[in-house]
Amino acid sequence: MMRILLVEDEPLFRKGLAKMIAGAEASWDVCGEAENGLVAERLIAELQPDLVVTDIRMPVMDGLELLRRTKPAFPDIEFIVITGFQDFHYAQAALRSGALDLLVKPCSKQDMHEALAKADAYVQKKQTAARKEAIERQLLQENALRAVFLRFPYRPEAAALLERELRGSKLIVLHVADFLPADRGYAKRDVPLLQFAVLNIMGELLDAQGPGGTLLLTEAGRFALLLPADAGAEEQRLLDAVCSTVRQLLGLTVAPRVAGLVHSLGGLADLYEAALAESAQSRVAADRDGKPEAALPVNRVRQQLIGAQAAALIMAGQSEALQQYLDGMTKEMSAMDAETLPIEALSLSFALQDVARKQLERESDARSLTERISKLNECRGRDEVRAWMKAETERFMRHYDEWQNRYSASAVSRAVRYIEERYAEQLSLQQLASHVHLNAAYFSHLFKKETGRSFVNFLIDVRMAKAKQLLSNTDLSVTEVSGMVGYDLPNYFAKLFKMNTGLSPKEYRKQNTI
């Protein structure tokens, strides 16, 4: 959902723009309104909207100055500038300063919707690209770190960053010596899948209860874990959890060995090799001819992208788009080669499990995970793996629906009570979302869905209702009433009041005082 801030000094025109946006079927939400650039500058920092729609000619601070001041500080926020025919030179300056598009007054509903659709597509594309770029950078860093451990060549530009991140860390080497225990009945073809499962189980435990750090698959059956040197008791709890969980879920034995503190990037390989040499279980997995297996070429970019995209759609409240995305990923993965498909299927499952834990407040179910991995191991052929993936996405969507139902009514009712109790304070969407423990973008969508009004409009209506009571039943001045309902500027309050009631505060008092 694209969150939009409207900046326009003419209240009626601003109200018309808000109605144009609210009446659209697309996922656009007006998260705030401002009567000039100075107010908008504060709201931009507070609300962090995706898009600012601003007039050029305004008092105090015009739209061009607003654009010039805020675009460098918030480069991810896009601007659509509204201008008149006579302000063409301003429009050119706005485009040079980074405006995404221009609208010429008077703009129609169709003009507005076309401009917003263009901005929406651009923002979505940019956000997806940014997520992918960040994850790919992480993958390049992981590949460089793996090369350091194995004494392979790596890009020199990665060395400085790795040196800063890892200096003073503690290296722990974890080893799974045997992926084919007699009591589990695994076959050799299951080893890549099991290795990937071990990596993800370790990663989830590190993320959920660890002290922070880096986990890396270095070679077949070998994992490098870099933790803060002062992890203390958290370190042992994490290692105990890794060993017991992998044993419980997969029936595999993980042997951890503390290698020591990292004093320099160049010393990592020495620490790693020394830990392997000292370990009684340091032999690598071997095939029937005694030759060591190659490490699984793990590319977790897809898994992290799936998780990031699913989380973004959840936070935006786009349930239909989420379902379509998961269906599309299932179809795309189903076309992969038979050897890669099971690993990619498990990657999808772990991505959804991670999102369920972080976004849907879902605890991991060890028994269920064991059963699902076993079923994937038993799949023989593309159709069976595709059916397994479909079951995983359906299970995730059930969890999503349960989460939505659990929070929708209660979160909005608590938010409404909060507004009614604190309407005179400087309330923000972020503050209200934090109060009900929801992401601001998702809360904005949910609030509008449940109440029929945006947070900003709902707050204005509550304040205007309180103002009516004060004007009708007290002798307070308009300035005093304005302050008591949350507006520091009486003139702005008077404009809003007239837009809401059709009368000025004084006219309303005259008509409604007995």
Side-chain angles (χ1 to χ4, degrees):
M1 178 171 55
M2 186 168 66
R3 300 171 61 247
I4 303 169
L5 175 66
L6 294 180
V7 190
E8 167 61 58
D9 63 313
E10 298 178 21
L12 291 178
F13 186 62
R14 188 171 68 247
K15 187 175 183 180
L17 291 176
K19 283 186 176 180
M20 286 181 188
I21 296 169
E25 295 181 0
S27 298
W28 302 327
D29 180 59
V30 177
C31 65
E33 298 180 20
E35 67 271 22
N36 59 61
L38 190 61
V39 176
E41 187 176 25
R42 175 178 59 81
L43 288 178
I44 287 172
E46 179 182 314
L47 300 176
Q48 298 278 310
D50 300 302
L51 177 70
V52 176
V53 178
T54 181
D55 195 1
I56 279 191
R57 287 184 176 268
M58 292 181 295
V60 186
M61 183 193 295
D62 64 27
L64 185 56
E65 181 65 17
L66 173 67
L67 175 60
R68 286 171 173 164
R69 289 174 61 136
T70 56
K71 187 65 175 175
F74 302 97
D76 291 333
I77 297 177
E78 300 302 330
F79 283 73
I80 291 178
V81 173
I82 301 175
T83 181
F85 285 108
Q86 72 276 17
D87 296 324
F88 182 69
H89 60 290
Y90 283 120
Q92 288 181 311
L95 289 174
R96 287 195 299 270
S97 298
L100 179 65
D101 204 353
L102 300 173
L103 282 174
V104 179
K105 283 185 177 180
C107 54
S108 67
K109 185 176 181 179
Q110 181 179 351
D111 293 334
M112 174 60 73
H113 287 184
E114 288 177 355
L116 292 180
K118 175 183 174 181
D120 198 3
Y122 182 78
V123 168
Q124 294 288 350
K125 183 178 179 181
K126 189 171 65 171
Q127 290 176 346
T128 300
R131 284 193 293 269
K132 184 175 181 180
E133 182 181 350
I135 292 171
E136 287 180 342
R137 279 200 306 270
Q138 179 185 339
L139 178 64
L140 290 173
Q141 287 297 104
E142 288 182 359
N143 289 339
L145 182 56
R146 184 179 294 107
V148 171
F149 277 114
L150 302 179
R151 300 186 188 276
F152 292 161
Y154 58 91
R155 296 177 5 259
E157 58 267 29
L161 180 58
L162 289 173
E163 186 85 43
R164 286 196 303 272
E165 289 182 348
L166 304 179
R167 183 184 292 275
S169 299
K170 181 185 291 186
L171 172 63
I172 301 170
V173 178
L174 303 106
H175 185 219
V176 179
D178 185 10
F179 281 96
L180 305 175
D183 61 332
R184 285 287 173 152
Y186 293 137
K188 188 174 178 57
R189 56 180 165 73
D190 297 326
V191 172
L193 192 64
L194 292 170
Q195 187 166 252
F196 188 77
V198 170
L199 178 66
N200 278 276
I201 291 170
M202 288 181 179
E204 182 170 322
L205 290 169
L206 177 63
D207 189 30
Q209 64 184 60
T214 300
L215 175 68
L216 187 70
L217 171 65
T218 52
E219 302 172 87
R222 293 171 175 172
F223 306 85
L225 176 61
L226 289 146
L227 297 178
D230 58 355
E234 288 183 298
E235 174 190 317
Q236 192 56 51
R237 281 198 296 270
L238 174 62
L239 295 179
D240 290 344
V242 165
C243 294
S244 62
T245 305
V246 173
R247 181 67 186 173
Q248 179 186 5
L249 296 182
L250 302 175
L252 302 178
T253 299
V254 177
R257 175 168 291 275
V258 177
L261 294 178
V262 179
H263 298 293
S264 68
L265 190 63
L268 261 183
D270 293 335
L271 283 175
Y272 175 72
E273 291 168 358
L276 292 178
E278 292 173 7
S279 174
Q281 296 178 320
S282 65
R283 64 180 179 83
V284 298
D287 63 18
R288 293 179 182 176
D289 298 324
K291 297 177 182 178
E293 290 181 350
L296 174 68
V298 177
N299 184 334
R300 300 180 72 192
V301 169
R302 181 188 296 276
Q303 178 178 336
Q304 294 177 40
L305 279 174
I306 292 171
Q309 187 64 33
L313 292 171
I314 288 172
M315 289 188 288
Q318 297 184 14
S319 54
E320 290 184 8
L322 176 62
Q323 181 67 70
Q324 292 170 1
Y325 175 71
L326 295 180
D327 289 344
M329 289 306 306
T330 300
K331 183 177 180 181
E332 179 183 330
M333 289 181 174
S334 297
M336 295 178 177
D337 64 83
E339 185 177 355
T340 304
L341 181 57
I343 295 175
E344 294 291 349
L346 190 59
S347 172
L348 171 66
S349 176
F350 274 111
L352 297 181
Q353 178 176 286
D354 189 53
V355 173
R357 179 171 58 82
K358 292 178 179 177
Q359 302 293 333
L360 309 182
E361 301 177 5
R362 195 86 191 183
E363 293 185 4
S364 298
D365 184 344
R367 183 184 299 275
S368 173
L369 179 61
T370 304
E371 293 173 354
R372 287 170 10 240
I373 290 176
S374 297
K375 286 182 179 178
L376 180 59
N377 272 324
E378 294 168 2
C379 289
R380 299 295 178 263
R382 193 182 305 277
D383 290 342
E384 291 185 13
V385 176
R386 185 187 298 116
W388 186 90
M389 285 192 289
K390 189 173 187 299
E392 289 294 290
T393 58
E394 289 175 349
R395 179 174 179 273
F396 176 78
M397 290 304 297
R398 285 196 301 272
H399 293 164
Y400 173 65
D401 291 339
E402 291 169 6
W403 175 77
Q404 273 197 316
N405 294 334
R406 186 167 67 247
Y407 271 104
S408 293
S410 63
V412 172
S413 63
R414 282 185 287 131
V416 167
R417 285 198 300 272
Y418 191 83
I419 292 172
E420 290 174 342
E421 291 170 358
R422 305 193 181 195
Y423 61 88
E425 300 177 10
Q426 295 300 313
L427 295 180
S428 68
L429 178 68
Q430 183 63 54
Q431 178 184 346
L432 200 57
S434 297
H435 176 70
V436 296
H437 308 295
L438 289 178
N439 168 272
Y442 176 71
F443 171 74
S444 176
H445 166 83
L446 184 63
F447 191 89
K448 187 173 182 180
K449 178 182 177 183
E450 293 293 320
T451 66
R453 287 170 285 178
S454 69
F455 157 70
V456 171
N457 289 334
F458 188 92
L459 177 60
I460 290 173
D461 288 345
V462 170
R463 286 173 168 175
M464 293 302 108
K466 302 297 181 182
K468 291 176 188 177
Q469 293 176 6
L470 292 172
L471 290 168
S472 299
N473 299 289
T474 73
D475 293 327
L476 295 170
S477 68
V478 173
T479 298
E480 289 172 324
V481 170
S482 174
M484 292 184 71
V485 297
Y487 295 106
D488 296 330
L489 302 175
N491 290 339
Y492 180 57
F493 162 71
K495 287 181 181 180
L496 283 178
F497 191 88
K498 187 164 187 178
M499 288 170 57
N500 189 270
T501 65
L503 300 171
S504 71
K506 290 182 179 180
E507 290 170 340
Y508 183 87
R509 167 172 275 167
K510 186 175 181 180
Q511 291 187 14
N512 290 275
T513 300
I514 299 175

